[in-house]
Amino acid sequence: MPDIPSRPASFLVTLNPDHIATLSDPAVTLQDVAATITSQAGSLRVMADGPADDPVIEMLRVAADDPHTLLVTLSDDDRAALAARYGDAIVIEPDIELDLFDTVFAPSAMSPLNFFAAAEGELVIDVTLTGRDGTPVPRAEVTVQGSQIYGIAQAVTDARGKARLTLYGETPDSLREIKVKPSAGYWGLIIKRPDLTGVPVTRKVAQLALTLTPISLHNGETDVWGYLAMQLDKPTPAAQPVRIAVIDSGLSASHDDLNPAGGHDFTNRGDPANAWRDDLSGHGTHVAGTCAARFDGHGICGAAGPEAQVYGLSVFPGGRASSLISALDWCVTHQIDVVNMSLGSAQGTNALHQAVIRATAAGITLVAAAGNAARPVMFPAAYPEVIAVAAIGKTGSFPATSPEAAHIGAHRAGDFFSAAFTCFGPEIDVAGPGVAVISAVPSATNKDYAVMSGTSMASPYVAGFVARLLATRPDLQALPRGQGRVQAVKSALRACCIDIGLPRPYQGHGLPVWGDVAPAEEGLVAQLRAVSDALARALA
């Protein structure tokens, strides 16, 4: 037996929808399960997260409804006892961790130091980053990759645009790659097999100066490749406000290009009514900008159009299935129309799927990023109720020396290509621009923009497109909120897609294109309403 026991862990407990109660095994409620847990030993207490007498049961519910899920902290023994007590009447699942799907060029973890390298084997490189006008570039991540198993070094530039990197067991001739990721304002840079022959050396330190290409947004708000590829610059009919929730890391509410209508924090990092306004990673701000940036004459335009009302729901840092479930419940309570989820996990849960089903039944159209693992579609995008979005790119939309060049996948059709990182499969509904996407990021000036790539970037383009459809189609708005309305929105989205020539698992129905989107014919409106009414009666 190990000297150090395992800590209790968080689990989601739901009722098994396939369980059949009998006279000898009557129906179970979550209140029954909660009472059983409460009556058990004091080991069922939060250990690391609070005082010993804190409760370990949180009941997740929509408004004042009965709880649909229990979030509990259980030891291994307690979990086994609970499972034995209720059998297949309940489902006990780990409260899985979620990822943000922009990891294709996110800061990576530092590799361990190679303790076997001799001290004289050090290779020290001082990097200075500037723009073309000589302005220092601060807060840029610089990574140098060598040939050794631990031959990697990372650093972030200071206010002077300078960073020092030290590698062990490497020489200038063994370096494989230098990569630069600016925080805002510039394109990244990647140099394969860098030649340091002409680099000045001062006191055995190589002095490397690199010049970055600035991001240009001087040709109008719509001069962004994804926006133009989806023809979102074409005239839009009169629109009604549509509510969009971005479930992410929050958003920078003070950014000039964002005007959020509200939000909520589900991370317990502060006041839930306000903490969502502080985006610690920049991911949520970038996603929200793509989806719903203001039409104010500068920066970019959001795919949703000028009438969009965006809400920031923060489940990161520390995102888990339980926080995503709570965020979806919030969307039901607040009658959100469209939800974007640029996040997920390789593993699904019954509790999360039930939350997705509840949101769909409430008339919310859910859009999610497929994932960046170049493997089958991840969750929640893999659920049939969710619009799963794969990422595509376009040649010529980024500098050839930028890291985005590495995202060109094996499947190409004209100028379009499937992103090398995108998840794929029969679950993919549509494709969206997800390589070299320029959008808003937090900054001291509240005016900065940055390049990101990922299915995280493709999903808000589609979510915004769906919101624009809802905003400009009175026939869709007239449908009662429910599953029928969601199905009608999905049908309208598919009707706007064009086949761009990529394999079906990588593009689904294709790329949504605005073009001349017209309201549905009167006869179709009546059919959609009939379908919606029938579904409502069936679900009643």
Side-chain angles (χ1 to χ4, degrees):
M1 180 175 180
D3 295 330
I4 302 177
S6 298
R7 299 193 311 274
S10 294
F11 294 92
L12 299 170
V13 181
T14 53
L15 299 179
N16 183 357
D18 298 325
H19 175 71
I20 300 177
T22 64
L23 291 177
S24 60
D25 184 17
V28 173
T29 69
L30 287 181
Q31 288 88 340
D32 297 333
V33 179
T36 298
I37 296 173
T38 302
S39 67
Q40 289 185 22
S43 63
L44 293 179
R45 299 295 172 191
V46 174
M47 298 180 65
D49 298 329
D53 59 350
D54 278 356
V56 295
I57 304 175
E58 181 180 351
M59 295 189 178
L60 307 185
R61 64 183 85 214
V62 177
D65 293 350
D66 290 336
H68 51 70
T69 306
L70 301 180
L71 174 59
V72 299
T73 303
L74 300 172
S75 67
D76 292 341
D77 291 343
D78 290 323
R79 180 191 182 190
L82 197 65
R85 167 69 177 80
Y86 289 102
D88 68 353
I90 64 173
V91 179
I92 307 174
E93 305 166 295
D95 186 14
I96 58 173
E97 296 182 358
L98 303 174
D99 294 316
L100 292 170
F101 289 154
D102 71 332
T103 54
V104 292
F105 192 43
S108 54
M110 290 291 291
S111 294
L113 176 66
N114 183 357
F115 291 103
F116 301 100
E120 57 270 19
E122 291 183 355
L123 173 63
V124 182
I125 303 173
D126 277 352
V127 176
T128 301
L129 299 182
T130 61
R132 289 178 177 173
D133 60 356
T135 303
V137 180
R139 298 190 304 117
E141 179 191 297
V142 184
T143 304
V144 179
Q145 175 74 55
S147 60
Q148 303 295 318
I149 188 171
Y150 296 136
I152 186 171
Q154 289 177 305
V156 176
T157 56
D158 59 19
R160 302 168 299 164
K162 295 181 179 296
R164 172 166 289 192
L165 300 99
T166 302
L167 296 97
Y168 297 87
E170 301 288 347
T171 69
D173 293 334
S174 68
L175 297 184
R176 292 181 175 176
E177 181 180 275
I178 297 175
K179 186 184 293 185
V180 178
K181 181 189 176 183
S183 61
Y186 297 88
W187 288 95
L189 179 66
I190 188 167
I191 305 172
K192 298 287 188 179
R193 302 179 306 280
D195 183 358
L196 302 187
T197 303
V199 173
V201 177
T202 304
R203 297 178 181 176
K204 297 184 179 181
V205 177
Q207 306 292 330
L208 181 62
L210 300 175
T211 303
L212 302 185
T213 302
I215 295 172
S216 175
L217 285 173
H218 303 306
N219 297 321
E221 289 179 287
T222 63
D223 190 20
V224 180
W225 84 262
Y227 197 88
L228 296 175
M230 297 176 74
Q231 298 185 23
L232 293 168
D233 57 321
K234 289 196 173 182
T236 300
Q240 295 295 319
V242 170
R243 295 181 172 185
I244 310 168
V246 174
I247 304 179
D248 212 284
S249 58
L251 57 84
S252 179
S254 57
H255 195 285
D256 282 0
D257 231 351
L258 294 175
N259 184 28
H264 195 86
D265 178 75
F266 296 91
T267 69
N268 299 318
R269 57 184 168 130
D271 178 9
N274 291 296
W276 60 272
R277 296 174 175 272
D278 184 16
D279 180 11
L280 300 180
S281 73
H283 187 275
T285 301
H286 197 279
V287 169
T290 299
C291 185
R294 299 168 62 186
F295 284 57
D296 57 0
H298 74 272
I300 60 171
C301 288
E307 299 300 325
Q309 296 180 347
V310 64
Y311 292 78
L313 305 184
S314 52
V315 297
F316 289 93
R320 288 184 173 272
S322 56
S323 52
L324 178 54
I325 291 168
S326 294
L328 288 172
D329 289 345
W330 188 95
C331 292
V332 172
T333 302
H334 291 79
Q335 294 192 314
I336 296 298
D337 296 297
V338 182
V339 168
N340 183 80
M341 297 176 286
S342 291
L343 49 76
S345 170
Q347 178 183 358
T349 71
N350 176 68
L352 178 55
H353 193 192
Q354 292 304 313
V356 164
I357 292 172
R358 282 192 301 275
T360 302
I364 301 173
T365 303
L366 304 176
V367 183
N372 295 347
R375 47 156 290 169
V377 177
M378 303 175 82
F379 297 91
Y383 293 130
E385 297 80 8
V386 180
I387 296 172
V389 184
I392 61 171
K394 184 180 181 182
T395 57
S397 64
F398 48 83
T401 55
S402 71
E404 282 68 33
H407 302 329
I408 299 175
H411 303 288
R412 307 182 192 184
D415 291 337
F416 292 114
F417 59 85
S418 62
F421 53 77
T422 190
C423 286
F424 56 89
E427 301 87 356
I428 294 296
D429 291 290
V430 296
V435 177
V437 176
I438 300 173
S439 188
V441 289
S443 69
T445 65
N446 296 319
K447 300 177 184 293
D448 280 344
Y449 300 84
V451 177
M452 292 188 186
S453 296
T455 54
S456 273
M457 287 61 251
S459 184
Y461 264 118
V462 175
F465 192 99
V466 168
R468 187 179 288 216
L469 277 175
L470 265 173
T472 57
R473 289 272 298 265
D475 57 307
L476 296 176
Q477 296 171 17
L479 295 171
R481 294 183 68 93
Q483 187 175 346
R485 185 192 198 198
V486 174
Q487 291 303 321
V489 170
K490 288 183 175 181
S491 295
L493 174 66
R494 287 195 292 269
C496 295
C497 290
I498 62 170
D499 185 341
I500 57 176
L502 296 174
R504 183 65 181 265
Y506 291 85
Q507 71 163 20
H509 295 282
L511 176 69
V513 172
W514 189 251
D516 298 317
V517 177
E521 297 295 333
E522 196 64 36
L524 180 57
V525 174
Q527 293 176 33
L528 293 173
R529 286 178 176 168
V531 171
S532 177
D533 292 341
L535 285 170
R537 288 193 297 271
L539 294 171

